[in-house]
Amino acid sequence: MSQAIQKTLRDSAGMRWTALLLLALAMFCSYIFMDILSPIKDLMQETRGWDSTAFGTMQGSEVFLNVFVFFLIFAGIILDKMGVRFTAVLSAAVMLVGACIKWYAVSDTFIGSGLETWFNNNLNYIPIFDELGVSPFYEGMPASAKFAACGFMIFGCGCEMAGITVSRGIVKWFKGREMALAMGSEMALARLGVATCMIFSPFFARLGGEVSVSRSVAFGVVLMCIALIMTIVYFFMDQKLDSQTGEAEEKDDPFKISDIGKILSDSGFWIVALLCVLYYSAIFPFQKYAVNMLQCNLTLIAPDADSFWSSSSVTIVQYVIMLIVAAAGFASNFQKKANLKFGLLGLSIIALITYCYMGYMRQSAESIFAVFPLLAVLITPILGSYLDHHGKAASMLVLGSILLIACHLTFAFILPAFKDSPVGGIIIAYTTILVLGASFSLVPASLWPSVPKLVDAKVIGSAYALIFWIQNIGLWLFPLLIGKVLDATNPGVTDPTQFDYTAPLVMLACLGVAALILGFVLKVVDKKKGIGLELPNITE
């Protein structure tokens, strides 16, 4: 009877995984909106006059307020003081507001409006920020890009707040249990948003034969409404859990400035934070240019307009096949019966091959890059389970860095060499994208569960906020740098499918080299200080 009294929602595997699903679905929607314009960079240049610098400046603006107004630090304080459920709903609401502004900025209604005139005449010079070279705007930047950047800044505040909230929520529901598996699974589902974005953003932009980039953003706005609903449902689940456990996040262990000092004085924390910024800076900014990079480095010949491969229905079919790849591959990891396990794995592989064939027949760069998260979805549960039971988190980070370097160098030098080979180039592209996605799955499964081992539980929200703030510096800087490097190394190039991406890709590979070095340093520090990063997460 005492066991029945002590049983809470998180003691039920079904309920804690339901809580995780709600948080993951919210992040899934936010990941879609985060890159909603990435697969239609060429259309933004053709219809709104955004060159690579304007595109990169707008994309980098997502994290501007988080970095330079320190909003992420405040988000961590809000999380520590107000708790997971309040911050989750707040973050979703903020994302929705920013998404609506960005949608209006790229809509036809904005063109010719008084607001467009105002943005054309203003924000061309921002005191101090211009002197420091970090202004989110510049003279000559299209008005639509400026206003979209404003909306994206607001969205970014909510998105990064949601990121630290989800991490804190998973710790709350899964600490002492399958935490690495939970974090890896959440990111696997969330990253399906990247694939969804790559497939459906161009689909909506070209729907009906008439190009309209605002339709793609409107699709993202609808999804942000769904994300808000998911966080509201989670709010009531989390409230029920606190009523069962007697926990009161809002009152216990109030935030102190001195706590940040304790976090920042830890060398292990700094190494993890720098690893994070280096690794994520080589991935997320790349995603924003990846489709255009493939358009420039592959020979893609559009199928006949009246063929099945040019129809809108093929998009739906391909997406359904993608979901089969992800669902069957993910589920195969949880089967105890060998025949069922390998049956699902076989189905996933067959579906993946079918998806890749369809991407080849469509000659579509966006559907080719959409395979990015699929291998990650398959192996993330394996990695998470291994880390939960056997450890080796620091070693996983080293392996991820090696794969990252290899992939960016392949994109830079090997893929362009196969541009005249329609089949060979696409095979190399598919293989490299899948491996890059797999390397990315190593990070959430190994990095984020390591943070609770480095800091006190009562300031874990602030610790995640500090890591995300440091990470955001890279996420602001590198989309901007890639755009500037592209324009600088491609003078006079006006066709958005003819850029040379070698220099930006080498720059991203160098980030991987720095991350690799830090990975080895982390292993040394962990062994010397006994942090326990190589130890399993599940405690008996």
Side-chain angles (χ1 to χ4, degrees), residues 382-395:
I382 300 174
L383 295 173
S385 180
Y386 183 87
L387 287 163
D388 281 329
H389 292 91
H390 303 286
K392 304 297 181 184
S395 300

Side-chain angles (χ1 to χ4, degrees), residues 343-356:
L344 286 170
L345 185 59
L347 174 62
S348 180
I349 293 173
I350 292 171
L352 177 60
I353 294 172
T354 304
Y355 175 91
C356 292

Side-chain angles (χ1 to χ4, degrees), residues 111-131:
I111 299 175
S113 67
L115 202 55
E116 181 185 37
T117 302
W118 190 90
F119 272 93
N120 273 324
N121 297 331
N122 294 278
L123 300 182
N124 295 313
Y125 170 75
I126 310 295
I128 300 177
F129 287 105
D130 269 281
E131 278 73 16

Side-chain angles (χ1 to χ4, degrees), residues 364-485:
S364 164
E366 52 267 21
S367 66
I368 291 173
F369 185 71
V371 302
F372 174 68
L374 295 186
L375 188 57
V377 172
L378 174 62
I379 69 171
T380 294
I382 300 174
L383 295 173
S385 180
Y386 183 87
L387 287 163
D388 281 329
H389 292 91
H390 303 286
K392 304 297 181 184
S395 300
M396 291 288 189
L397 290 171
V398 169
L399 177 59
S401 299
I402 293 172
L403 294 176
L404 176 70
I405 297 166
C407 289
H408 281 312
L409 291 179
T410 299
F411 285 133
F413 299 108
I414 298 178
L415 185 60
F418 283 81
K419 185 171 183 177
D420 295 330
S421 175
V423 177
I426 289 181
I427 290 175
I428 290 172
Y430 270 133
T431 303
T432 310
I433 292 166
L434 284 167
V435 173
L436 183 64
S439 76
F440 199 19
S441 70
L442 293 168
V443 174
S446 54
L447 183 65
W448 301 123
S450 300
V451 178
K453 298 179 179 180
L454 294 167
V455 299
D456 200 315
K458 76 184 183 74
V459 293
I460 196 168
S462 298
Y464 278 123
L466 285 169
I467 292 177
F468 274 56
W469 178 74
I470 295 167
Q471 169 191 316
N472 272 226
I473 295 174
L475 300 187
W476 160 76
L477 178 63
F478 282 94
L480 177 63
L481 279 181
I482 294 173
K484 287 183 176 294
V485 170

Side-chain angles (χ1 to χ4, degrees), residues 94-112:
V94 172
M95 284 192 288
L96 179 58
V97 170
C100 291
I101 294 173
K102 187 174 180 179
W103 166 75
Y104 179 71
V106 300
S107 69
D108 293 337
T109 308
F110 180 76
I111 299 175

